[in-house]
Amino acid sequence: MSRLVVVSNRVADPRKAAAGGLAVAVKESLEQTGGLWFGWSGNIHDTESGQGTHGEVRLQTVGNIKLATCDLTQEDYAGYYLGYANDVLWPVFHYRLDLANFDIRFTATYRRVNRQFASRLMPLLRADDLIWVHDYHLIPLAAELRAMGCTNRIGFFLHIPMPPPLIMAAIPEHEWLMRSLFAYDLVGFQSPADVAHFTSYVESEAGASPLPDNRLLAFNRSVRVGAFPIGIDVDGFSDLATAQDGIEMFNRMREEYSRRRLLLGVDRLDYSKGLPQRVNAFRELLALYPENRNSATLIQIASPSREDVSAYSILRSQMDSLCGAINGEYGELDWMPVRYIHRNVARKRLPGLYRASRVALVTPLRDGMNLVAKEFIAAQDPTDPGVLVLSRFAGAAEQLKDALLVNPYDTQGTAHSIQRALTMPLDERIRRHKTLMSQIRQFDVRWWSSSFLDALAQTATTDMAS
Ligand code: ADQ
């Protein structure tokens, strides 16, 4: 059997908790198959000493996973990670052209770091390895590996949304980026809508024509494309809810909020997650339905994320002042409407928190999938489940149709849906939860990784150009 080699921007130590969908999912899928995980260590060097040679790759073994990590220089970190990945690709792929910062120096560093990763990975590869590259940081990696003579099967999975062609075309080097995807054998997206956007881009911009077996022919190469909606480890997560830490957390929250109904948001502090819009919808709920005053509490947990990118520090102050304003306007001596916590919560405690909450607010403005929505469902007590309020702009909404779907830009509409969630009768909650559970069970993290890897293994490497 082929060895699996996973490549992602950041390698997360499997022994530590991670806040971030990619790290959580990759860790869970690699733990099942074993293999090599290659990427950035998370360390930054002030000098150029982090650049260049293969000797600087650090290897360690954790269980059945081998980790291979390398450092970035300060310059690489600024241009590749903060600059091109998170100040160009992340905003544009989330439809936020207004936040994109196009700078030709970022592009050059992004290309150079991808080449550097490729040259460090090459000596570690075996002839029959299956290589699985993750996410927008590494779009040109396969093209760099191919240029160095790599003939392995290489798949790519995009964790974030694929925007429609006109939005993609806002990136000055959009054609180069999309052409780079044709160096892979299989390109996977979160949803059929993302596949449709990619297909329509390559048809309109590169005259692509469809081939059998979900392949597209363009740039003198063909690539297979497909939708592989990412899932969670449903049983593992449900078990955590009833393990000791989960139960302790649940009891603590139920005791602390015995007279209140809890609404919960858990996110990275990111502008794509719609946090100010969510808090405003909660404020509207208190205005429109006064019976919730002194009764409903929103706990918003937002883990620190990309704090060196300016849009994120602006969001942080916006959230501080918004939550302060609501608490000032509606708070009582013994009740604060919003508890806003700018921190990570230990993973083993999350399920207890989810289970103690009557309503989860998962209301991103745009999201590739959103695993929090699925975790919330998995953690519920099936005999008394909470209600998921979910943005129609999350990839998860294509699967989770029995959630209450909302438009997060519509503050009043969202407030009405939150009220509906808070007052939903038990039989309806049970019925919706049952259908949602069967969805997340069918498309769990094992399904995601095995269906992607099976498709990759069956894909013949075809280099029409050579
Ligand atoms: P993210 O944007 O990071 O992922 P998401 O899918 O919600 O978003 O995953 C977040 C993960 O981190 C969840 O497992 C959650 O439990 C955890 N997490 C978030 N905040 C936390 C906190 N404060 N404390 C502890 N844990 C926290 C990207 C894409 C998504 C896509 C995933 C996976 O943006 O659309 O679903 O990758 O493909």
Coordinates of all heavy atoms in Angstrom, one line a residue, residues 19-22 24 90 159-160 190 230 266-268 273 301-303 343-345 347 350 354 367-372 375, ligand 1:
A19 N -6.8 25.0 17.2 CA -8.0 25.7 16.9 C -7.9 26.1 15.4 O -7.1 26.9 15.0 CB -8.2 27.0 17.7
G20 N -8.6 25.5 14.6 CA -8.5 25.7 13.1 C -8.9 24.4 12.5 O -8.5 23.3 12.8
G21 N -9.8 24.6 11.5 CA -10.5 23.4 10.9 C -9.5 22.5 10.2 O -9.6 21.3 10.3
L22 N -8.5 23.0 9.5 CA -7.6 22.2 8.7 C -6.8 21.3 9.6 O -6.7 20.1 9.4 CB -6.7 23.1 7.9 CG -5.8 22.3 6.9 CD1 -5.5 23.2 5.7 CD2 -4.5 21.9 7.5
V24 N -7.4 20.3 12.7 CA -8.3 19.3 13.3 C -8.5 18.2 12.4 O -8.4 17.0 12.7 CB -9.6 20.0 13.8 CG1 -10.6 18.9 14.3 CG2 -9.3 21.0 14.9
W90 N -6.8 34.8 1.0 CA -7.9 34.6 2.0 C -9.1 35.6 1.7 O -10.2 35.2 1.5 CB -7.4 34.6 3.4 CG -8.5 34.4 4.4 CD1 -9.3 35.4 5.0 CD2 -9.0 33.2 5.0 NE1 -10.2 34.9 5.8 CE2 -10.1 33.5 5.8 CE3 -8.7 31.9 4.8 CZ2 -10.8 32.6 6.6 CZ3 -9.4 30.9 5.5 CH2 -10.4 31.3 6.4
H159 N -9.7 24.1 1.3 CA -10.6 24.1 2.4 C -11.5 25.3 2.4 O -12.5 25.4 3.2 CB -9.7 24.1 3.7 CG -9.1 22.8 4.0 ND1 -9.5 21.9 5.0 CD2 -8.0 22.2 3.4 CE1 -8.7 20.8 4.9 NE2 -7.8 21.0 4.0
I160 N -11.1 26.3 1.7 CA -11.9 27.6 1.7 C -12.8 27.6 0.4 O -12.6 26.8 -0.5 CB -11.0 28.8 1.8 CG1 -10.0 28.9 0.6 CG2 -10.2 28.7 3.1 CD1 -9.2 30.2 0.7
Q190 N -14.9 21.8 -1.4 CA -15.8 21.5 -0.3 C -17.2 21.2 -0.8 O -17.9 20.4 -0.2 CB -15.9 22.7 0.7 CG -14.6 23.0 1.4 CD -14.4 22.2 2.7 OE1 -15.0 21.1 2.8 NE2 -13.6 22.7 3.6
I230 N -15.9 18.2 3.8 CA -15.2 17.7 4.9 C -16.1 17.4 6.1 O -17.1 18.1 6.2 CB -14.1 18.7 5.3 CG1 -13.0 18.1 6.2 CG2 -14.6 19.9 5.9 CD1 -11.7 18.9 6.3
V266 N -18.6 29.8 18.5 CA -17.1 29.4 18.7 C -16.5 29.6 17.4 O -16.9 28.9 16.4 CB -17.0 27.9 19.1 CG1 -15.6 27.5 19.2 CG2 -17.7 27.7 20.5
D267 N -15.5 30.4 17.3 CA -14.9 30.7 16.0 C -13.4 31.2 16.2 O -13.1 31.6 17.3 CB -15.6 31.9 15.3 CG -17.0 31.8 15.2 OD1 -17.7 32.0 16.2 OD2 -17.5 31.4 14.1
R268 N -12.6 31.1 15.1 CA -11.4 31.9 15.1 C -11.9 33.4 14.9 O -12.9 33.6 14.3 CB -10.5 31.6 13.9 CG -9.7 30.3 14.1 CD -8.8 30.0 13.0 NE -9.4 30.0 11.7 CZ -9.5 31.0 10.8 NH1 -8.9 32.2 11.1 NH2 -10.1 30.9 9.7
K273 N -16.1 35.2 9.5 CA -17.1 34.5 10.4 C -18.3 35.3 10.8 O -19.2 34.8 11.5 CB -16.3 34.0 11.7 CG -15.1 33.1 11.4 CD -15.5 31.7 10.8 CE -14.2 30.9 10.6 NZ -14.5 29.6 9.9
I301 N -17.0 32.8 21.9 CA -15.6 32.4 22.1 C -14.9 32.7 20.8 O -15.3 32.1 19.7 CB -15.4 31.0 22.6 CG1 -16.1 30.9 23.9 CG2 -13.9 30.6 22.7 CD1 -16.2 29.5 24.4
A302 N -13.9 33.5 20.8 CA -13.2 33.8 19.5 C -11.7 33.6 19.7 O -11.1 34.4 20.5 CB -13.5 35.2 19.1
S303 N -11.1 32.6 19.1 CA -9.7 32.4 19.4 C -8.9 33.3 18.6 O -9.2 33.7 17.4 CB -9.3 30.9 19.0 OG -9.6 30.6 17.7
R343 N -10.1 33.8 23.4 CA -9.2 32.8 23.8 C -9.6 31.5 23.2 O -10.7 31.3 22.7 CB -9.3 32.6 25.4 CG -8.2 33.2 26.1 CD -8.0 32.5 27.5 NE -9.3 32.3 28.2 CZ -9.9 33.2 29.0 NH1 -9.3 34.4 29.2 NH2 -11.0 32.9 29.6
N344 N -8.7 30.5 23.3 CA -9.0 29.1 22.9 C -9.7 28.4 24.0 O -9.4 28.7 25.2 CB -7.7 28.4 22.7 CG -7.3 28.3 21.3 OD1 -8.0 28.7 20.4 ND2 -6.1 27.8 21.0
V345 N -10.5 27.4 23.7 CA -11.0 26.6 24.8 C -10.4 25.2 24.5 O -10.3 24.8 23.4 CB -12.6 26.5 24.7 CG1 -13.1 25.4 25.6 CG2 -13.2 27.9 25.0
R347 N -10.0 21.5 23.7 CA -10.8 20.7 22.8 C -11.7 19.8 23.6 O -12.9 19.6 23.3 CB -10.0 20.0 21.8 CG -10.8 19.4 20.7 CD -10.1 19.2 19.4 NE -11.0 18.7 18.5 CZ -11.9 19.4 17.8 NH1 -12.0 20.7 18.0 NH2 -12.8 18.9 17.0
L350 N -14.9 21.6 24.8 CA -15.8 22.1 23.8 C -17.2 21.4 23.8 O -18.2 22.0 23.8 CB -15.2 22.1 22.4 CG -14.4 23.4 22.0 CD1 -14.0 23.2 20.6 CD2 -15.3 24.6 22.1
Y354 N -20.9 22.9 24.1 CA -21.9 22.8 23.1 C -23.2 22.2 23.6 O -24.3 22.6 23.3 CB -21.4 21.9 21.9 CG -20.3 22.4 21.0 CD1 -19.3 21.6 20.6 CD2 -20.4 23.7 20.5 CE1 -18.3 22.1 19.8 CE2 -19.4 24.2 19.6 CZ -18.3 23.3 19.3 OH -17.3 23.8 18.4
D367 N -17.9 30.8 4.1 CA -17.1 29.7 4.8 C -17.0 28.5 3.9 O -18.0 28.1 3.3 CB -17.7 29.3 6.1 CG -16.7 29.1 7.2 OD1 -15.6 28.6 6.9 OD2 -17.1 29.3 8.4
G368 N -15.8 27.9 3.8 CA -15.7 26.7 3.0 C -16.6 25.7 3.4 O -17.5 25.1 2.6
M369 N -16.6 25.3 4.7 CA -17.5 24.3 5.3 C -18.0 24.9 6.6 O -19.1 25.3 6.7 CB -16.8 23.0 5.5 CG -17.6 21.9 6.1 SD -19.2 21.5 5.3 CE -18.6 20.9 3.7
N370 N -17.3 24.8 7.6 CA -17.5 25.2 9.0 C -17.7 23.9 9.8 O -18.8 23.3 9.8 CB -18.6 26.2 9.2 CG -18.5 26.8 10.6 OD1 -18.6 26.0 11.6 ND2 -18.2 28.0 10.7
L371 N -16.7 23.5 10.6 CA -16.8 22.3 11.4 C -17.5 22.5 12.7 O -18.0 21.6 13.3 CB -15.3 21.8 11.6 CG -14.6 21.4 10.4 CD1 -13.2 20.9 10.7 CD2 -15.3 20.3 9.6
V372 N -17.5 23.8 13.2 CA -18.2 24.0 14.4 C -19.7 23.6 14.3 O -20.2 23.0 15.3 CB -18.1 25.5 14.8 CG1 -19.0 25.9 16.0 CG2 -16.6 25.9 15.1
E375 N -19.7 19.9 14.8 CA -19.4 19.6 16.2 C -20.5 19.8 17.1 O -20.8 19.0 18.1 CB -18.1 20.4 16.7 CG -16.9 20.0 15.9 CD -15.7 21.0 16.2 OE1 -15.9 22.0 16.9 OE2 -14.6 20.7 15.7
Ligands
ADQ1 P1 -11.6 27.4 10.0 O1 -11.9 28.7 9.3 O2 -10.6 27.4 11.0 O3 -11.3 26.2 8.9 P2 -13.9 25.7 11.1 O4 -14.2 24.8 10.1 O5 -15.1 26.2 11.9 O6 -13.1 27.0 10.6 O7 -12.9 25.0 12.1 C1 -12.5 25.5 13.3 C2 -12.0 24.4 14.3 O8 -11.3 25.0 15.3 C3 -13.1 23.6 14.9 O9 -12.7 22.3 15.1 C4 -13.3 24.3 16.2 O10 -13.8 23.5 17.3 C5 -11.9 24.8 16.5 N1 -12.0 26.1 17.2 C6 -12.4 27.3 16.7 N2 -12.4 28.3 17.7 C7 -11.9 27.7 18.8 C8 -11.7 28.2 20.1 N3 -11.9 29.4 20.5 N4 -11.3 27.3 21.0 C9 -11.1 26.0 20.7 N5 -11.3 25.5 19.4 C10 -11.7 26.3 18.5 C11 -11.1 26.1 7.5 C12 -12.2 26.7 6.6 C13 -13.5 26.1 7.0 C14 -13.4 24.5 6.9 C15 -12.2 24.0 7.6 C16 -11.9 22.6 7.4 O11 -12.3 28.1 6.8 O12 -14.5 26.5 6.1 O13 -14.5 23.9 7.5 O14 -11.0 24.7 7.3 O15 -11.8 22.3 6.0

